[in-house]
């Protein structure tokens, strides 16, 4: 192998922040789709997590642009993307798509929690006043208003699905349409991003719901967990198949780019891509979720199996994002050499920043839960000793 | 069956209304279509005076001294370890082993190299040459296409530039350039690259790298002028483009390239 890297390729431009961004929007899109499975597609088994998934999508969506802002060379000019958009650019629609989707999700959340807000608004004190303000001082609740809210929420759930796919799919398209980079340049990228998003979204809900239930000693809703496990299995099969299909077709065709891509995955990304992304974090969850979907396991076993699989798939998707985004920048456009990237810990675009951005949504969700419960009453039943 | 409604003579006839709509639409279309054309007609005074800049690199002449790199760095305040232009050194041995590295711009005796030396050929013979690189100022520029805010643009005289006041520093263009000639400037945090020394060429001077080349390996000029050196070179010599299969239509022509050059 000739070790030749173009001099400007030695610096990796898109840091761990750009790995985090599609990860978070993926969680948003995935969580939103779970909430729509209940609100729109009548998956009654998902009722315990329906509101929780919508709230998760909303909260993660609020934090999604943060890694991008931190990454921009001039964040104070961020609104240029909406003031002077160049619509030839796949990136230019971001501001509009993001804003429109944020509005849709925010209104849907508002409609779904309206009844609980009305209940909280009846008292006195700052929280009650806040709730009244959030309700625009309209605390009427009748059969008719509830039906109207429900209809509107259903409509927004339907509208939100293509928007969620658009918000996350365009990121995939952005990478997939870059002809300069053989590791990115594939029309499959958009669809790979969407399906991996759904996988990560379902996974975060399973992980978070089961963790919260464990902490609070709630009785787990078994049909809900099992249904999520089944959906997870289906979507992960599609996601991983697409990821494999892309690489296998490049490998089999043996065109010029295979020379560098083969070395990238066989050498530079060997551990993070072949071993971890596929052999460990795809294969093991696949068998675990297959067991959950195909056999009637004992309650404890089946819950444990789904929990482990979901936790592993959360790692699988972050690995996939890393391997795509960092891996693509490791190969030089000379096609003859590689650079390397290790994220700093304390720097502006480092690991601590990433950890803060990623944990903040969970704290906001906790505060949300303090005002308006994230789960229906029946999901919060204590386990009987 | 109902009789046609004749009780509302004041109501406009539908057919007439549709016809009027069609006329208005056609008229509007005519205005929209012709306005830019008319504007162009008015503005086309002196369009022929606008030069069309192009650049040629004669790799058969380059000696790898790095004077161009030093001149560029000094002229354009390019930060350390970032490059608006650089010079590659190729060594191709008898057994097709290739070794590539980069001429240092600090002094012309050393080379920046992380390359492993190619295996010694049996006969020890080596073909070696230098290839200067810079922005190709593509006609179908990927960077212009992908810039989300329109900060990167191509001028009427054929130079691709970045507006540093408007660039948000997202790095999309850096990823999109197949030639890796762009970088996010470490000091200004905006996209940066070769401008063909636009501040010089618009005053009738040569780009710093062309000015400083001791052997005439870098050729710059107006291709609309048939008597310019670049026109003569492109008429007389055989040239190729870098990565022509990507459809970027570069305006940087390479003379004497080997197939190993990327």
């Amino acid at each position: 192998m000739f070790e030749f890297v173009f001099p400007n390729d030695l610096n990796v431009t898109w840091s761990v922040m750009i790995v985090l961004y599609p990860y978070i929007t993926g969680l948003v899109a995935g969580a939103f789709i779970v909430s729509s499975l209940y609100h729109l597609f009548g998956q009654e088994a998902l009722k315990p997590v329906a509101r929780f998934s919508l709230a998760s999508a909303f909260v993660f969506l609020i934090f999604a642009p943060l890694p991008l802002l931190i990454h921009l060379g001039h964040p104070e000019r961020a609104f240029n993307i909406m003031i002077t958009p160049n619509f030839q650019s796949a990136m230019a629609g971001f501001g509009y798509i993001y804003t429109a989707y944020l509005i849709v999700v925010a209104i849907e959340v508002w409609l779904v929690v309206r009844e609980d807000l009305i209940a909280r608004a009846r008292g006195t004190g700052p929280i009650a006043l806040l709730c009244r303000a959030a309700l625009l001082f309209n605390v009427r609740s009748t059969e008719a208003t509830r039906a109207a809210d429900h209809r509107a929420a259903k409509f927004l759930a339907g509208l939100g699905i293509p928007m969620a796919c658009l918000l996350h799919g365009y990121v995939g398209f952005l990478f997939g349409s870059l002809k300069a980079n053989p590791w990115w340049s594939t029309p499959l990228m958009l669809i790979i991003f969407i399906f991996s998003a759904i996988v990560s979204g379902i996974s975060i809900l399973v992980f978070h719901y089961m963790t919260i239930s464990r902490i609070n000693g709630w009785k787990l809703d078994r049909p809900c967990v099992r249904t999520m496990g089944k959906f997870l299995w289906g979507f992960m099969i599609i996601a991983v198949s697409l990821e494999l299909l892309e690489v296998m077709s490049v490998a089999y065709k043996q065109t010029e780019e295979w020379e560098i891509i083969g070395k990238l995955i066989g050498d530079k990304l060997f551990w993070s891509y072949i071993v971890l992304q596929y052999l460990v974090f795809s294969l093991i969850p696949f068998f675990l979720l297959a067991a959950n979907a195909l056999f009637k396991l004992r309650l404890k076993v089946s819950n444990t199996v789904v929990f482990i699989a979901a936790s592993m798939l959360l790692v699988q998707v972050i690995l996939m994002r890393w391997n795509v985004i960092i891996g693509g920048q490791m190969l030089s456009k000379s096609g003859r050499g590689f650079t390397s990237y290790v994220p700093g810990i304390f720097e502006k675009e480092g690991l601590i920043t990433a950890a803060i951005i990623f944990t903040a949504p969970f704290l906001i969700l906790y505060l949300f839960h303090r005002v308006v419960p994230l789960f229906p009453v029946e999901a919060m039943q204590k386990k009987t000793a | 069956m109902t009789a046609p409604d004749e009780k509302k003579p004041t109501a406009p006839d539908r057919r007439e209304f549709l016809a009027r709509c069609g006329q208005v639409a056609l008229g509007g279309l005519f205005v929209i279509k012709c306005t830019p054309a008319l504007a162009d007609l008015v503005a086309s005074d002196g369009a022929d005076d606008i030069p069309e800049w192009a650049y040629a690199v004669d790799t058969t002449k380059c000696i790898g001294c790095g004077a161009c790199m030093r001149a560029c760095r000094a002229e354009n305040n390019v930060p350390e370890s970032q490059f608006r232009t650089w010079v590659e050194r190729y060594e191709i041995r008898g057994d097709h082993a290739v070794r590539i590295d980069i001429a240092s711009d600090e002094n012309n005796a050393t080379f920046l190299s992380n390359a492993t030396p190619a295996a010694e050929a049996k006969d020890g013979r080596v073909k070696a040459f230098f290839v200067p690189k810079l922005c190709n100022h593509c006609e179908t520029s990927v960077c212009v296409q992908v810039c989300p805010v329109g900060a990167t643009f191509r001028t009427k005289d054929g130079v691709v530039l970045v507006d540093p006041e408007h660039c948000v520093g997202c790095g999309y263009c850096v990823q999109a350039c197949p030639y890796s000639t762009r970088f996010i400037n470490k000091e200004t945090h905006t996209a940066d690259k070769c401008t063909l020394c636009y501040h010089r060429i618009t005053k009738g001077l040569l780009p710093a790298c062309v000015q400083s080349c001791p052997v005439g390996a870098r050729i710059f000029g107006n291709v609309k002028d048939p008597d310019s050196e670049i026109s003569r070179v492109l008429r007389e010599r055989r040239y190729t483009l870098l990565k022509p299969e990507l459809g970027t239509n570069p305006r940087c022509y390479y003379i004497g390239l080997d197939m190993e050059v990327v």
Side-chain angles (χ1 to χ4, degrees):
Chain A
M1 184 62 198
F2 337 111
E3 279 289 320
F4 173 63
V5 178
F6 285 145
N8 291 325
D9 283 344
L10 286 166
N11 301 317
V12 164
T13 306
W14 280 350
S15 67
V16 74
M17 287 296 126
I18 308 298
V19 175
L20 191 61
Y21 167 72
Y23 191 61
I24 293 179
T25 54
L27 297 176
V28 172
F32 188 83
I33 280 165
V34 170
S35 86
S36 294
L37 283 172
Y38 170 76
H39 287 289
L40 194 67
F41 297 112
Q43 289 289 331
E44 286 300 323
L46 296 175
K47 189 176 179 203
V49 293
R51 177 189 290 190
F52 174 59
S53 55
L54 186 63
S56 299
F58 178 56
V59 171
F60 275 110
L61 189 61
I62 293 169
F63 284 90
L66 206 56
L68 295 182
L69 278 175
I70 289 170
H71 170 76
L72 283 185
H74 283 271
E76 80 282 4
R77 299 178 190 167
F79 283 105
N80 283 0
I81 203 165
M82 289 170 89
I83 302 163
T84 60
N86 164 29
F87 285 119
Q88 281 188 323
S89 165
M91 205 184 265
F94 168 77
Y96 301 111
I97 298 168
Y98 174 81
T99 309
Y101 183 55
L102 184 67
I103 291 167
V104 164
V105 178
I107 295 174
E108 194 185 343
V109 169
W110 184 71
L111 290 167
V112 166
V113 302
R114 207 167 161 269
E115 289 304 308
D116 290 284
L117 278 178
I118 289 170
R120 290 298 303 263
R122 293 219 166 100
T124 49
I127 294 278
L129 185 67
L130 201 71
C131 291
R132 275 203 294 280
L135 289 159
L136 310 176
F137 300 98
N138 173 4
V139 289
R140 234 158 33 97
S141 173
T142 64
E143 219 33 74
T145 61
R146 282 194 289 274
D149 288 352
H150 184 71
R151 271 200 311 275
K154 199 167 171 173
F155 172 77
L156 291 175
L159 189 66
I161 290 178
M163 290 175 95
C165 289
L166 194 64
L167 178 72
H168 194 66
Y170 104 89
V171 184
F173 182 80
L174 193 151
F175 285 101
S177 59
L178 278 179
K179 60 189 172 192
N181 193 318
W183 184 230
W184 290 344
S185 181
T186 162
L188 277 179
M189 197 60 90
L190 180 147
I191 201 163
I192 287 174
F193 265 61
I194 287 178
F195 279 102
S196 57
I198 298 172
V199 169
S200 65
I202 302 175
S203 298
I204 195 91
L205 292 173
V206 170
F207 176 85
H208 201 184
Y209 167 56
M210 291 179 84
T211 308
I212 292 172
S213 298
R214 169 55 73 82
I215 291 169
N216 293 311
W218 297 340
K219 195 169 174 300
L220 267 181
D221 186 297
R222 173 168 188 180
C224 174
V225 173
R226 190 151 185 241
T227 306
M228 285 208 279
K230 282 181 176 174
F231 275 114
L232 196 50
W233 191 49
F235 282 119
M236 85 153 285
I237 289 172
I238 300 172
V240 176
S241 303
L242 287 167
E243 287 161 25
L244 275 171
L245 172 66
E246 168 53 31
V247 173
M248 277 162 53
S249 63
V250 174
Y252 192 77
K253 286 185 203 162
Q254 296 200 20
T255 45
E256 197 183 12
E257 66 254 30
W258 174 242
E259 192 174 344
I260 183 108
I261 286 179
K263 291 201 168 59
L264 178 74
I265 59 185
D267 181 14
K268 301 287 162 187
L269 294 180
F270 178 77
W271 282 99
S272 67
Y273 185 74
I274 292 178
V275 176
L276 294 176
Q277 187 184 323
Y278 285 116
L279 296 178
V280 178
F281 289 95
S282 295
L283 213 55
I284 296 173
F286 170 78
F287 286 119
L288 291 176
L289 292 170
N292 166 68
L294 304 175
F295 306 114
K296 224 161 162 40
L297 302 171
R298 286 213 323 275
L299 183 66
K300 217 177 169 94
V301 176
S302 106
N303 283 343
T304 310
V305 156
V306 174
F307 182 78
I308 292 172
S311 313
M312 289 184 83
L313 284 172
L314 280 176
V315 180
Q316 194 269 0
V317 176
I318 193 92
L319 280 167
M320 173 259 173
R321 305 280 188 247
W322 173 276
N323 288 326
V324 168
I325 292 154
I326 302 300
Q329 295 174 93
M330 279 169 73
L331 57 87
S332 171
K333 289 167 189 158
S334 67
R336 293 170 179 270
F338 299 94
T339 184
S340 58
Y341 171 73
V342 179
I345 297 174
F346 300 103
E347 62 195 37
K348 187 179 74 145
E349 297 184 42
L351 292 176
I352 287 184
T353 312
I356 290 170
I357 294 173
F358 191 69
T359 48
F362 293 98
L363 294 173
I364 302 290
L365 275 171
Y366 174 73
L367 294 175
F368 191 112
H369 185 66
R370 294 294 300 271
V371 179
V372 173
L374 288 169
F375 300 94
V377 179
E378 57 270 27
M380 297 191 286
Q381 302 289 334
K382 290 275 185 196
K383 263 192 223 170
T384 42
Chain B
M1 286 292 287
T2 52
D5 191 4
E6 290 174 28
K7 287 176 191 166
K8 288 186 268 182
T10 49
D13 177 49
R14 186 188 303 164
R15 187 172 296 179
E16 196 183 321
F17 172 74
L18 285 174
R20 183 59 49 84
C21 279
Q23 287 163 359
V24 169
L26 275 174
L29 205 64
F30 179 81
V31 170
I32 290 165
K33 274 285 173 213
C34 295
T35 309
L38 289 168
D40 278 355
L41 264 179
V42 174
S44 69
D45 286 335
D48 287 344
D49 301 345
I50 298 176
E52 190 182 323
W53 303 118
Y55 201 100
V57 174
D58 189 343
T59 61
T60 63
K61 287 184 179 167
C62 177
I63 54 169
C65 66
C68 49
M69 296 160 78
R70 287 190 293 278
C72 175
R73 214 171 270 289
E75 178 75 29
N76 298 301
N77 300 320
V78 182
E80 196 57 41
S81 84
Q82 300 191 301
F83 297 78
R84 284 189 178 196
T85 185
W86 67 93
V87 178
E88 294 166 9
R89 175 175 67 172
Y90 283 75
E91 287 177 27
I92 303 169
R93 291 168 199 258
D95 55 358
H96 302 292
V98 183
R99 179 171 184 262
I100 314 167
D101 55 11
I102 298 187
S104 162
D105 52 351
E106 294 315 310
N107 64 69
N108 56 18
T110 59
F111 284 76
L112 291 176
S113 172
N114 61 351
T116 44
E120 278 292 337
K122 285 193 184 70
D123 56 5
R125 289 184 190 175
V126 176
K127 170 168 64 174
F129 53 88
F130 295 97
V131 181
K133 291 276 184 81
L134 65 156
C135 169
N136 285 249
H137 296 278
C138 309
E139 201 178 350
T140 326
S141 323
V142 198
C143 51
V144 173
Q145 180 191 7
V146 303
C147 176
V149 298
T152 288
F153 58 98
R154 194 161 184 269
T155 62
K156 278 204 166 77
D157 44 3
V159 183
V160 176
L161 297 176
V162 182
D163 178 352
E165 301 293 306
H166 200 68
C167 168
V168 294
C170 69
Y172 195 8
C173 58
V174 176
Q175 305 292 356
C177 173
Y179 309 102
S180 294
T181 57
R182 286 177 161 255
F183 53 91
I184 298 290
N185 185 305
K186 285 192 281 196
E187 280 143 27
T188 64
H189 306 294
T190 53
D192 198 328
K193 67 173 195 69
C194 156
T195 60
L196 290 181
C197 286
Y198 203 66
H199 58 292
R200 292 171 57 91
I201 61 176
T202 45
K203 295 191 180 76
L205 301 167
L206 287 170
C209 53
V210 177
Q211 184 84 51
S212 64
C213 179
V215 292
R218 290 170 174 257
I219 301 139
F220 167 85
N222 176 8
V223 284
K224 277 190 184 169
D225 172 7
D227 299 325
S228 67
E229 190 191 359
I230 186 123
S231 295
R232 186 183 58 74
V233 164
L234 295 181
R235 257 199 319 272
E236 295 171 2
R237 306 289 303 275
R238 296 174 193 174
Y239 57 81
T240 185
L241 303 169
L242 296 177
K243 303 189 185 187
E245 72 282 1
L246 292 182
T248 52
N249 296 312
R251 284 289 165 267
C252 184
Y253 303 93
Y254 278 84
I255 294 155
L257 269 199
D258 188 273
M259 67 166 282
E260 294 290 355
V261 175
V262 282

